[in-house]
Amino acid sequence: MNIISFVPTGRENAVSRYDIAKAVGISERDVRFKIKEANKELERIGEAIVSSSSGRGYWRTNDIAEMEKYLQESSRRRSTQAKGEALIYVKGHFRRIRVNPAQTKL
């Protein structure tokens, strides 16, 4: 099953993870995994599946600005605190840093 065919092109056509899961017949968690795998395939042709917390779901794009915005937003979502550390996105990779336990956001 190729998840790419269930994700439309263009932000205006975005589809929710729930709707993709329902159409494909898999869990929403599996949709996230399949999208991650699909992005490896799409990278070769200069496309990506992206989403936005202010958007309606996922869409395919070849717009570099949309891809960069997605990476910035998703890195903020992944930034977590555990044992006084956080992961932050730094030029294409993550770096572990020490944080003050009382600090709630980076």
Side-chain angles (χ1 to χ4, degrees):
M1 182 250 334
N2 190 344
I3 199 89
I4 296 170
S5 61
F6 292 93
V7 181
T9 300
R11 183 182 190 118
E12 66 280 357
N13 300 314
V15 62
S16 74
R17 185 171 52 236
Y18 172 81
D19 288 337
I20 296 171
K22 188 175 176 182
V24 178
I26 61 176
S27 71
E28 289 183 56
R29 182 179 182 152
D30 286 340
V31 169
R32 285 194 308 268
F33 175 76
K34 296 282 187 188
I35 286 173
K36 183 177 179 181
E37 292 298 311
N39 272 331
K40 293 176 186 175
E41 182 180 333
L42 288 171
E43 182 180 307
R44 286 183 257 142
I45 60 170
E47 286 189 12
I49 297 173
V50 298
S51 66
S52 171
S53 59
S54 63
R56 297 181 341 194
Y58 293 94
W59 70 92
R60 287 173 55 181
T61 187
N62 61 1
D63 183 319
I64 298 297
E66 281 187 334
M67 290 181 204
E68 287 175 348
K69 185 175 181 181
Y70 167 74
L71 286 174
Q72 290 170 352
E73 186 174 312
S74 64
S75 70
R76 284 192 301 269
R77 281 187 238 144
R78 286 190 297 253
S79 179
T80 60
Q81 293 184 8
K83 299 180 184 177
E85 294 181 336
L87 296 177
I88 59 172
Y89 187 77
V90 180
K91 294 185 181 179
H93 66 278
F94 289 91
R95 179 172 293 154
R96 188 173 303 277
I97 61 169
R98 286 271 178 211
V99 294
N100 181 338
Q103 188 178 9
T104 58
K105 288 190 177 183
L106 292 177

